[in-house]
Amino acid sequence: MKLRSLLTFTLTLTLGLCAVSAQEQVALQLDLPKPLFVGTPRPIKMANLEVFSHKRPDFMVPAGTVLLSAGKEVTSSDEFPVIGELGFVTDGDKTGMDGSFLEIGPGTQWVQIDLGASSPLAAIVVWHFHSQARVYHDFIVQVSDDKTFKTGVTTLYNTDDDNSSALGAGKDVNYIESNMGRIVDAKGTKARYVRLYSNGNTSNELNHYCEVEVFGTPAK
């Protein structure tokens, strides 16, 4: 009788732990814009380029993860954009149509989002200019609680394999832009500021953003 009770208790505990575990991670839900090109893009020759696909596996995030970046303040290394406004980066419009994207100057440039408080981050999703298949050079994503990014900097993604942007060499894969955007794993890193770098692209020397979405757990 005691053995049966023990087995019943163990089974109940195991099922309970499985249920809790299943509730801890959920698939990140993204509102994707309509694709602006279809089919397989023209070949782009460059090192460490990911094979293009219109599909990707679910990206799992902790339950309770929310969008933290909507409408948040954006600053940039280029204070006078060529096209658009800095606010376009967090305004929710990721269509990529004329009048919806930011274009900033050539060379290594950055945009930075102030989330308003330091929070555990789960994912950062980036849509550069996606109406044409192209690859952005030296795509680097960093987070910090220091708005100057001089201390406490964590690099989450870095495709700069030759350190041409002087932020350290990276080994992450290059990828072709599409309406799916790019999901960067933030790995639960706690930070208030998100900074994204690029150094032109395979079509021209300029830098573009349609939208950046930062997901995480709200600060308590």
Side-chain angles (χ1 to χ4, degrees):
M1 188 65 180
K2 289 183 178 179
L3 178 60
R4 179 179 296 177
S5 298
L6 178 60
L7 290 173
T8 300
F9 172 77
T10 301
L11 178 59
T12 302
L13 178 61
T14 300
L15 292 174
L17 290 174
C18 289
V20 170
S21 178
Q23 292 172 356
E24 287 179 344
Q25 295 289 318
V26 298
L28 179 64
Q29 300 298 315
L30 295 174
D31 182 17
L32 298 181
K34 293 181 179 179
L36 297 180
F37 67 86
V38 296
T40 302
R42 291 185 299 175
I44 296 176
K45 293 183 178 180
M46 65 187 309
N48 201 23
L49 179 63
E50 182 180 79
V51 175
F52 181 80
S53 174
H54 289 288
K55 297 180 179 179
R56 67 181 168 208
D58 286 340
F59 185 85
M60 307 306 290
V61 297
T65 293
V66 299
L67 177 62
L68 301 174
S69 56
K72 293 297 172 62
E73 180 185 13
V74 179
T75 54
S76 173
S77 54
D78 184 353
E79 297 180 352
F80 303 100
V82 180
I83 296 175
E85 302 173 6
L86 296 179
F88 287 1
V89 176
T90 57
D91 68 351
D93 184 350
K94 62 193 82 163
T95 60
M97 306 296 288
D98 287 346
S100 69
F101 64 87
L102 171 72
E103 181 177 87
I104 55 179
T108 300
Q109 302 281 0
W110 52 261
V111 296
Q112 181 172 313
I113 301 169
D114 179 0
L115 299 174
S118 186
S119 304
L121 307 181
I124 298 166
V125 193
V126 185
W127 288 265
H128 290 108
F129 189 78
H130 60 85
S131 66
Q132 177 192 59
R134 59 175 63 176
V135 178
Y136 281 83
H137 300 298
D138 301 354
F139 173 53
I140 301 168
V141 180
Q142 295 182 331
V143 297
S144 179
D145 280 332
D146 176 9
K147 67 178 180 181
T148 66
F149 276 74
K150 293 181 178 178
T151 61
V153 177
T154 300
T155 299
L156 299 175
Y157 201 92
N158 185 351
T159 67
D160 184 10
D161 60 351
D162 61 0
N163 197 25
S164 53
S165 287
L167 293 167
K171 297 181 179 179
D172 290 305
V173 295
N174 292 295
Y175 65 95
I176 296 174
E177 293 293 327
S178 76
N179 68 308
M180 297 175 66
R182 187 65 178 186
I183 300 176
V184 173
D185 188 352
K187 305 174 183 176
T189 308
K190 190 176 181 182
R192 171 172 173 171
Y193 301 95
V194 178
R195 182 178 284 192
L196 307 99
Y197 295 84
S198 59
N199 184 11
N201 62 84
T202 50
S203 293
N204 57 58
E205 61 184 359
L206 299 170
N207 299 280
H208 307 87
Y209 292 88
C210 293
E211 189 74 9
V212 177
E213 292 186 335
V214 183
F215 294 87
T217 305
K220 296 180 179 178

